[in-house]
């Protein structure tokens, strides 16, 4: 790490925590962000402000954490940028589509840059603590080069193969399971309540028996208590992730009936104005279907 | 407990473990079963063989663990039997419908017998160890009377209210969530595999991160490894439980779109001859939909 | 027909029209109904009032048109009644389950009575005009005996085989298709309206092009105009028919995903108090899902 | 028409029939197609071969009938082409997305060209006979200008409003209903067959009673007879149209549960290699779900 310069693109709540972890680990970090405030915040912590994306790609390695396919496509899948890069490694930690991952890999390979997909599990506080779970895939040489950087940002790296898209598939599958879990608990809580059981009693029992862990105790409580604000992860982002799963399914011809139900439920939630709420608000759709009070 | 005689009906794998727990706790247990072998086995452990169901209901309290609504209805919801009972408490630990629970409660109340619904979570070894999680509901006096018996059979009792059907609702909701979890993992594993990710890698990561606990590591592994035999819980029983949820939903007018998908998937599995396999074999349906090898 | 006496059970709106057709064709008709008013009305037209069901089954043939499985089971599947019958033919024209049809056939055969299932298509005015479409099944001898009676009540008889349940299956499949058509038009109209197309314009074009016939012009207009009252066929009856399809599917292990969506939609409609409206009111569910004004 | 020159883009089976109708009506028709053979065929009938798309747009009006959004976008939504056009009217008769229609309208308006959306109902023989049903939308002046051309190609024009996207919405809704009808009949036929009714008997009765018209008699027969070849409309095109409906639904936040089922069924069909068959082959999915022989 000594002497290694890391370019970092995308200083949202997650990106700031991750860049901070790299700084703490001793890396020289050169940051870029669309809006200036987060750049200033990171500079105050010891980072260098990049003059532009070319400056970022002049570093030894680049880590990016952008919001979605569009942002990655527009900012980073730029042949001119990549052709001029000194960096030999780009670790893309965003949740993007399988299709984008494949195109990104091809373009980076063409320009001699190792491309690692490394989407993460964890919210901003976990990112800030350097305790993310990281799902990684890429060719062995690139993964080896990425390993110390990933170690600085996460508590554990899970490997999925040599094709970067494998890590994105794993991440998309994981978020699909989260959405399924929320809808499952929403339907179960509506069923319980309409039959006279307090949803909070149900979730407490489930958390203490078959479903330990943060999903049942966290999302389950939000569902049971109808507490959808403040939003940890907004509903339209949930729909985006469900759509990533459906799209990856369609291109590989994998029907996902639960995914189809989820898509309809998220659309229903948006049609009723819940776009600013946490994606747990899909539970309000289950309640509405049953005529239960909002 | 000293001096208390317990009648016990239903010595399947679960019932034997539960009756054994009562014996170990010092209760005099009078057992009845449709077939004689389990009776002999329990007698060998110190139980008394009942001469008939009337003999069972001559005990101080009755515990029953029958297979389904039909068995309970046919054997125990018998006005003559209940009218002649000395027992003042009946703890029904079977997974039965909300509707049956309500009729059972009414009939027992009519005959002055306290009725507690106490379905359980746990497989036979857990029952044998007296470590079940017990979901209980009933009027306070009956619950108080039941408490020492439940304590002998379980590691913890979760209370859901004064109406016995509340415990059955909680149990039905729990099994519904289990079925949802299996289908969710089945779809996620098909999605992952068709996009080049090994399902076992996915499940290992999930178990180690967001989904700790027995469901992901246990059922998830069965799904990922396509290991549906030997059956811990057979597919037709899974369909029965999904139908219990759908029926409880219908009577309270709660649409359950995930439940509807589950029902169709279980029927598909049965149509393809998987009725002797574990209900995790519903994952074979997800694979077939996607044209993945069985 | 001359000299043939027909016992008739069930004088609802449909039954009155059908019994009237038999009278017009010259049959002596002996009628029975739970409530007396329709009996008086038929007597005024020349029918004879039966003293009881045994009296009905003392006729040469019996035609029944009861509301559902329960009524048929309770009133007609009575071994004592059938054992004492002089009638050698029973034409059951109700929409009942496949399971009931099979049990009814067995019981009638046991007592030497030919059993024909002959459910009908058509509303009360069509029944009154003797213009019903009749879906019939039974053994050839019974069908031959039934033929003149059916000819008196309908404009055409469609034959489905030697097992009575085949006609019930055909009727259940037909009603399933009707429900599917209503939901399809409901979703299409919501899609159209939310994208700026007047649903009435859509339905008018469809009726004039690809979908001639009464379903699109009739139900389509009700959907497009949100006109769900007065009810021609009430929503709970629609759910009953969807359930008949799902049950027939389950016993033959036929998943019906459209049927599952229908069931959830009808429950949603009932949960919102639309039980007195026409089953076209399931369109209100499609609108609610999309946040369109009721 | 006398003196009016019409540029025509897209000589597939539909386009040839439509251009032929314009020739028969006396228009001078200047045709362009990606491949040369259809151009030669039309020239033999009296058309003129355009030298390029600019030559097409040098005519008084342009009619286009391309395969999909991509082709329209690539070939016709070209600012240079439109800026240089002499044509004051473009009638786009392809089945395209709502989104594309809106962008096309904006671009044409910007360049002073009237834009009419006029997708059609009917197969190639109907197009050749000038008997299409045409769904049209556009501003009144453009519609008035388009009217004689549409009259030459169709038997009737159905109007949906002033925004071109309204006609595309109507067409997308219509194809959605077709897909729903096929799936409905597929499920009904599987239900019937598994319960002992011949699907051909069911469809014959339905066609003769509640569902007259080409859909039940045509597609119903294909479903009932499992006759999916030769393909009149290939399965992947069916999926494309279902996706157009789902996309139009998503942008307007209209959940379409039947559409979701359709999408999963079409993917299932493609996963099993039925991509060259008629979209009626989605019925094979319904059969496979039920374990019925292919």
């Amino acid at each position: 790490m000594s002497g290694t310069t890391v370019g970092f693109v995308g200083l949202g709540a997650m990106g700031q925590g991750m860049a901070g972890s790299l700084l703490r680990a001793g890396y020289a970090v050169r940051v870029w962000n669309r809006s200036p405030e987060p750049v200033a915040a990171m500079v105050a912590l010891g980072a260098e402000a990049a003059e532009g994306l070319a400056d970022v790609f002049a570093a030894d390695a680049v880590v990016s954490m952008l919001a979605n396919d569009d942002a990655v496509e527009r900012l980073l899948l730029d042949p001119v940028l990549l052709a001029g890069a000194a960096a030999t490694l780009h670790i893309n930690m965003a949740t993007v589509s399988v299709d984008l991952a494949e195109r990104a890999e091809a373009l980076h390979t063409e320009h001699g840059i190792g491309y690692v997909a490394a989407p993460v599990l964890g919210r901003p506080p976990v990112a800030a603590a350097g305790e993310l779970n990281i799902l990684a895939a890429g060719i062995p040489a690139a993964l080896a080069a990425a390993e110390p950087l990933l170690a600085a940002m996460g508590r554990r790296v899970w490997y999925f193969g040599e094709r970067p898209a494998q890590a994105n598939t794993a991440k998309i599958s994981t978020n699909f399971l989260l959405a399924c879990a929320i809808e499952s608990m929403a339907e179960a809580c509506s069923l319980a309540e309409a039959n006279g059981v307090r949803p909070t009693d149900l979730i407490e029992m489930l958390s203490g028996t078959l479903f330990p862990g943060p999903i049942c105790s966290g999302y389950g409580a939000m569902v049971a208590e109808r507490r959808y604000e403040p939003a940890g992860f907004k509903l339209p982002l949930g729909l985006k992730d469900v759509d990533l799963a459906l799209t990856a399914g369609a291109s590989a011809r994998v029907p996902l009936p639960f995914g189809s139900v989820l898509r309809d439920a998220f659309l229903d939630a948006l049609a009723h104005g819940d776009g600013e709420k946490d994606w747990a608000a899909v539970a309000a759709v289950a309640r509405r279907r049953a005529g239960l009070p909002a």
Side-chain angles (χ1 to χ4, degrees), chain A residues 5-10 30-32 50-66 72 74-92 104 107-108 111-115:
Chain A
T5 306
V6 180
F8 199 104
V9 180
R30 191 179 300 163
V31 299
W32 186 94
E51 290 174 19
L53 288 167
D55 196 22
V56 170
F57 276 79
D60 300 312
V62 173
V63 174
S64 64
M65 186 61 176
L66 291 165
V72 172
R74 192 163 26 82
L75 295 173
L76 306 183
L77 298 195
D78 173 354
V80 176
L81 176 70
L82 298 183
T88 55
L89 174 67
H90 175 192
I91 309 176
N92 183 350
L107 192 64
H108 283 73
H111 291 96
I113 305 172
Y115 182 79

Side-chain angles (χ1 to χ4, degrees), chain A residues 278-292:
Chain A
D278 192 88
W279 66 335
V282 76
V285 178
R287 297 182 65 83
R288 183 163 49 243
R289 281 192 295 251
L292 294 170

Side-chain angles (χ1 to χ4, degrees), chain A residues 46-190:
Chain A
E48 175 189 355
E51 290 174 19
L53 288 167
D55 196 22
V56 170
F57 276 79
D60 300 312
V62 173
V63 174
S64 64
M65 186 61 176
L66 291 165
N68 52 36
D69 278 31
D70 273 359
V72 172
E73 180 113 42
R74 192 163 26 82
L75 295 173
L76 306 183
L77 298 195
D78 173 354
V80 176
L81 176 70
L82 298 183
T88 55
L89 174 67
H90 175 192
I91 309 176
N92 183 350
M93 307 188 75
T95 296
V96 295
S97 71
V98 168
D99 177 60
L100 184 91
E102 290 174 348
R103 285 185 291 121
E105 179 192 16
L107 192 64
H108 283 73
T109 301
E110 189 183 320
H111 291 96
I113 305 172
Y115 182 79
V116 167
V120 301
L121 305 183
R123 291 284 175 86
V126 180
E131 291 292 330
L132 294 166
N133 277 284
I134 300 175
L135 319 187
I139 59 170
L143 282 179
E147 200 282 331
L149 294 163
L150 299 179
M153 293 183 279
R155 73 167 187 85
R156 177 155 177 191
V157 182
W158 306 82
Y159 293 99
F160 289 93
E162 302 203 355
R163 297 189 300 102
Q166 290 171 299
N168 298 99
T169 293
K171 169 67 174 171
I172 289 168
S173 300
T174 301
N175 284 15
F176 170 76
L177 277 166
L178 281 178
C180 285
I182 294 172
E183 171 70 18
S184 299
M185 292 188 292
E187 294 190 16
C189 285
S190 287

